[in-house]
Amino acid sequence: MLRTRSDGIDLPTAVASSCAVPGFLPPVPFDGAHYCDAPRLPSAAALAKEKNLDAIVFIGPRTGALANVAEDAELDELERQGLRVVRITDGPDFTDVAGELLDQRLRPRAARIGLDDGRRAAQQVAALG
């Protein structure tokens, strides 16, 4: 089930649930249910149409096993069609932790890298207004 701000979910809970991977990081409880990342299949076009979106913010690393060529192609096509797309992905320091994404000792460094990536993208996201 898609949850939105109008359901009362806050941004940290939404992001945490998107990062949850069963078997690695636990599902995140919200409103009596548990949420986790879903299979990453191309679905942005269907979601944009169903929800009448005028912009999409994609957050996620795009290297190694996490790269998804079909998803990238779909986002590229949506941009060509005029949908505004902001991608917050693999900042310049991501390679420092990319090989060991589940190593708990790297969490502080990974968190700093994620925050830096978010700061770089903040103006783009704000411009979606």
Side-chain angles (χ1 to χ4, degrees):
M1 171 188 294
L2 177 67
R3 292 298 194 150
T4 67
R5 184 183 309 170
S6 64
D7 295 316
I9 194 165
D10 59 30
L11 184 60
T13 302
V15 171
S17 66
S18 180
C19 295
V21 178
F24 295 104
L25 300 171
V28 175
F30 175 75
D31 197 26
H34 290 82
Y35 294 87
C36 62
D37 195 25
R40 292 175 59 174
L41 302 172
S43 60
L47 181 63
K49 182 177 181 181
E50 176 187 332
K51 299 295 181 181
N52 197 30
L53 301 178
D54 60 358
I56 290 179
V57 177
F58 174 87
I59 303 171
R62 308 306 284 154
T63 59
L66 298 174
N68 187 326
V69 174
E71 189 174 66
D72 286 333
E74 183 182 39
L75 291 172
D76 290 344
E77 179 58 28
L78 288 170
E79 281 184 301
R80 280 191 289 281
Q81 293 174 13
L83 188 72
R84 297 176 297 157
V85 177
V86 173
R87 301 173 201 216
I88 304 172
T89 63
D90 313 359
D93 296 326
F94 181 72
T95 55
D96 292 352
V97 297
E100 300 295 332
L101 292 176
L102 298 177
D103 184 340
Q104 304 241 355
R105 295 170 296 171
L106 294 176
R107 277 186 163 177
R109 174 81 177 123
R112 284 190 299 276
I113 291 169
L115 288 169
D116 289 345
D117 291 348
R119 285 185 194 103
R120 276 190 293 282
Q123 285 183 318
Q124 290 176 290
V125 173
L128 295 175

